[in-house]
Amino acid sequence: MPLLCGAWLNYLIKNMANPKLELTWIGKEKRPKLEPRILLEEPDKSYHAQLRRELFARQDSIEAQRNALIDKLEAALQQAVQEQTLFTVAWELK
C-alpha cells in the first residue's frame, strides 16, 4: 500500500475530524416548509402529523398485544403441578 503524501494526509485528517454531511433524498425539495411556531400552535398542520398518529396507534396496538401475551404466559406459569408415581424401578448391584 503506497504511503500518503503529506498534503493529502493533512487534508484527510482535517476533513475526517470535522465531516460535513448532507442528507439528500428524492423529493427533499418538495417537502413543505413550515415555521416552527406553526408546528407548535397547530400540530395538525405538521407534515408528519398523520404519520405520527398512525405510528402511535400501531404502537398502542402492539403494546396491547404484548401485554396480552405476557398475561397469558404468566397464567401458564402459575399452573398447579401434580405429582403422581407412574412406575417404580428397583435394581441391585452385584
Side-chain angles (χ1 to χ4, degrees):
M1 182 171 160
L3 294 174
L4 297 172
C5 67
W8 178 246
L9 183 60
N10 289 337
Y11 171 80
L12 285 176
I13 292 171
K14 177 183 163 192
N15 288 326
M16 289 177 74
N18 189 11
K20 295 180 182 178
L21 300 175
E22 180 182 352
L23 298 176
T24 58
W25 58 88
I26 297 172
K28 179 179 178 182
E29 296 78 26
K30 296 178 187 174
R31 212 169 151 188
K33 306 288 185 209
L34 298 175
E35 295 180 20
R37 65 180 176 79
I38 293 174
L39 293 175
L40 290 174
E41 293 172 5
E42 300 179 35
D44 289 340
K45 290 188 178 181
S46 170
Y47 180 72
H48 297 290
Q50 180 63 30
L51 294 175
R52 256 189 248 114
R53 282 192 291 271
E54 290 174 7
L55 175 65
F56 293 151
R58 288 183 194 151
Q59 286 176 336
D60 291 343
S61 172
I62 290 170
E63 186 174 351
Q65 289 176 355
R66 183 192 66 149
N67 290 340
L69 288 173
I70 289 173
D71 291 341
K72 186 177 178 181
L73 181 61
E74 286 177 347
L77 292 175
Q78 296 299 325
Q79 291 179 353
V81 178
Q82 290 183 341
E83 188 174 312
Q84 181 181 5
T85 304
L86 297 177
F87 56 90
T88 304
V89 176
W91 69 90
E92 182 179 318
L93 295 176
K94 292 184 181 186

